[in-house]
Amino acid sequence: MIALVDYGAGNLTSVRKALSAIGADYCTPTAPAALESMSAIVVPGVGHFEATRVLDQHWRAAIRSAVERGAALFGICLGMQWLFEGSDEAPGLAGLGVFRGSCVHLAGPPHGTGPFKVPHVGWNSLRFPGLSMSMSGLAQDTQVYFTHSYVAPVVPESAAVTTYGVEFSAAVEQGRVAGVQFHPEKSGDAGLRILKNWLDAV
Amino acid sequence: MLSKRIIACLDVRDGKVVKGTNFEGLRDAGDPAELAARYNRDGIDEIVILDVTATLEARQARAHTIHAVAREIFLPLCVGGGIRTEADAAAAIEAGADKVSLNTAALHDPSLITRLAARYGSQAVIVAIDAKRQNGRFEVYARSGTDHTTRDAVEWAREATGRGAGEILLTSIDRDGTRSGFDCELTAAVSNSVPIPVIASGGAGTFEHFSEVFTAGQADAALAASIFHFNEKSVSELKYHLRSRDIAVRL
């Protein structure tokens, strides 16, 4: 069973629909204790990093403990950013810290402004630095749907990199923890393939 | 590279696409879900459902339409027309919309933009502006082009952005339905004045009109309804045309 964590950051209808489409069994637990029996956890979310404050020490402890015993973890959009150490969008609020670095605004320092509109909305291409579980079977430059203003840095665990004025992590993966900045549930066949890759691996 | 988006608009009334279609092989040419599925196969980047009916019964029908379309596609879905309150927006989003488009309601109560952006994020809030060339500028109309507001389109787009809009859906009333091309001057004026994406609408007739609005018009996306419904030309042919003009698209 997959736990879809509903912490009030955006609407889950699309994610639920996509999980159903790939044949996943999921539930939306209301308390962190329920994560103990889950084989995988999905942290979705759109909106402000501040929304992740709801994922308090109890949720974080439960998610960490689930991952330590071998459960898979998948973050989508804000849910992926939360896997990093934090974000300039909500200074002082820590992320889960699985990946090093902090998320920064697309037009903000240290990148300066440019001819790039923010938010970054629409279809942009993925570049894969190496092989990964979640991106397997996808051609270089596959396009997926993004909508966000903050980006996570490129790290050694980046499974996909996208360029929009700056290079940022479009996907990260380390062991059974993965995350994507884009919306696989809104990215047509490519997006469903990525979710299916993940489901098959867990 | 970020692609220019091609968006299909389904004008819906009482659960049917009203501008009509002549696609072969559809069981019911006026069925929004079947049309959306067809566009999806043809490579559309996004779907907008514009439902102009506003009675209570129609609103329930709208939720049914949104749900039926959302079931067919794994693409961004925007719903507009008659979104007047937070409850209207919530119902559309619950039914499967990713974004709502506000027009008249935002003009009457601009704080609605901010409230919805706070609740769902700016990416979920599109402000639709219907503009007409008048008095040497572009003036905004409300209520499907029937109410003259005397507001300037560029100035209103700036205000809407400041209040939390995530995108602007800009329709030229002068060009709408004429198939004589997008109003590139209007589109560029707004696009160059706001930091958020601008979707051009009104006037699509040929593939060249799309390449013009993406270059001269500085549009981030282009929306059309009847050209896709009636033309033998398809979304994928349009995209190959755009790529041949060095315009980034998703193929």
Side-chain angles (χ1 to χ4, degrees):
Chain A
M1 184 66 84
I2 296 170
L4 179 60
V5 180
D6 183 1
Y7 57 104
N11 185 271
L12 299 186
T13 310
S14 301
V15 177
R16 285 197 174 99
K17 187 170 61 111
L19 288 175
S20 298
I22 59 167
D25 286 326
Y26 63 91
C27 60
T28 45
T30 50
L35 297 183
E36 279 174 27
S37 58
M38 300 291 163
S39 57
I41 300 163
V42 174
V43 182
V46 289
H48 203 281
F49 197 83
E50 182 64 35
T52 65
R53 193 179 289 278
V54 176
L55 298 170
D56 59 12
Q57 52 172 333
H58 304 292
W59 278 103
R60 300 157 71 95
I63 290 173
R64 278 216 181 84
S65 135
V67 170
E68 274 162 25
R69 69 169 163 72
L73 176 61
F74 193 76
I76 298 174
C77 194
L78 184 57
M80 180 197 102
Q81 295 185 1
W82 182 70
L83 299 177
F84 282 76
E85 291 173 299
S87 173
D88 288 357
E89 192 174 22
L93 183 57
L96 195 63
V98 176
F99 301 102
R100 299 294 299 275
S102 200
C103 300
V104 297
H105 194 262
L106 265 170
H111 307 300
T113 54
F116 296 98
K117 291 194 170 184
V118 177
H120 173 223
V121 179
W123 299 77
N124 206 334
S125 49
L126 300 176
R127 186 172 59 76
F128 308 120
L131 292 175
S132 71
M133 169 269 292
S134 51
M135 302 294 140
S136 79
L138 295 177
Q140 289 284 356
D141 296 324
T142 293
Q143 294 201 19
V144 290
Y145 185 78
F146 291 87
T147 175
H148 62 116
S149 299
Y150 284 77
V151 292
V154 175
V155 290
E157 300 89 353
S158 295
V161 173
T162 292
T163 305
Y164 186 65
V166 294
E167 280 200 327
F168 62 88
S169 274
V172 285
E173 187 178 310
Q174 182 181 52
R176 291 170 74 74
V177 181
V180 292
Q181 177 60 65
F182 52 89
H183 288 273
E185 76 281 13
K186 293 279 124 194
S187 296
D189 293 341
L192 292 180
R193 174 69 189 260
I194 289 161
L195 288 174
K196 189 74 169 55
N197 282 343
W198 177 75
L199 180 68
D200 289 347
V202 307
Chain B
M1 187 169 202
L2 182 64
S3 290
K4 299 292 189 181
R5 283 174 285 156
I6 304 297
I7 303 175
C9 182
L10 307 176
D11 292 282
V12 171
R13 185 183 289 268
D14 299 329
K16 297 285 177 195
V17 178
V18 288
K19 278 194 180 171
T21 74
N22 63 351
F23 280 142
E24 289 175 23
L26 293 182
R27 287 191 300 279
D28 180 349
D31 183 75
E34 288 201 25
L35 199 49
R38 165 76 179 241
Y39 288 148
N40 183 32
R41 285 194 295 277
D42 205 18
I44 202 76
D45 295 316
E46 196 162 328
I47 301 266
V48 172
I49 298 174
L50 198 58
D51 190 338
V52 289
T53 44
T55 63
L56 180 63
E57 296 75 21
R59 268 187 292 190
Q60 284 158 351
R62 176 163 65 200
H64 178 77
T65 301
I66 298 166
H67 186 75
V69 170
R71 204 170 45 206
E72 291 292 329
I73 57 164
F74 292 93
L75 300 175
L77 176 63
C78 173
V79 171
I83 306 277
R84 296 194 173 83
T85 62
E86 280 189 73
D88 290 337
I93 287 172
E94 275 302 311
D98 301 293
K99 320 176 185 184
V100 292
S101 158
L102 306 172
N103 192 327
T104 306
L107 284 161
H108 287 170
D109 176 16
S111 74
L112 181 61
I113 303 169
T114 314
R115 295 201 305 276
L116 287 175
R119 185 162 167 188
Y120 297 107
S122 284
Q123 86 295 331
V125 185
I126 293 185
V127 170
I129 301 177
D130 294 342
K132 192 176 169 68
R133 288 173 181 256
Q134 215 155 17
N135 305 317
R137 58 181 197 160
F138 300 103
E139 296 194 338
V140 178
Y141 277 68
R143 295 193 190 283
S144 305
T146 57
D147 275 10
H148 188 198
T149 68
T150 75
R151 291 205 70 163
D152 176 72
V154 171
E155 174 268 323
W156 171 227
R158 281 206 187 101
E159 180 184 335
T161 304
R163 287 180 180 272
E167 293 179 75
I168 300 289
L169 168 53
L170 182 65
T171 300
S172 162
I173 294 174
D174 303 302
R175 301 295 176 89
D176 197 36
T178 65
R179 301 202 177 195
S180 60
F182 296 95
D183 190 332
C184 290
E185 222 176 296
L186 164 68
T187 310
V190 173
S191 188
N192 290 328
S193 304
V194 294
I196 61 175
V198 172
I199 305 163
S201 159
T206 67
F207 289 173
E208 280 71 25
H209 293 154
F210 286 86
S211 34
E212 283 162 16
V213 82
F214 287 136
T215 50
Q218 307 275 309
D220 301 286
L223 175 142
S226 53
I227 183 181
F228 298 135
H229 297 341
F230 291 114
N231 275 23
E232 290 170 9
K233 292 166 182 171
S234 68
V235 176
S236 57
E237 283 176 286
L238 166 60
K239 288 189 168 183
Y240 279 106
H241 163 83
L242 292 172
R243 175 168 281 190
S244 77
R245 300 295 170 90
D246 291 327
I247 294 167
V249 288
R250 176 180 74 112
L251 282 171

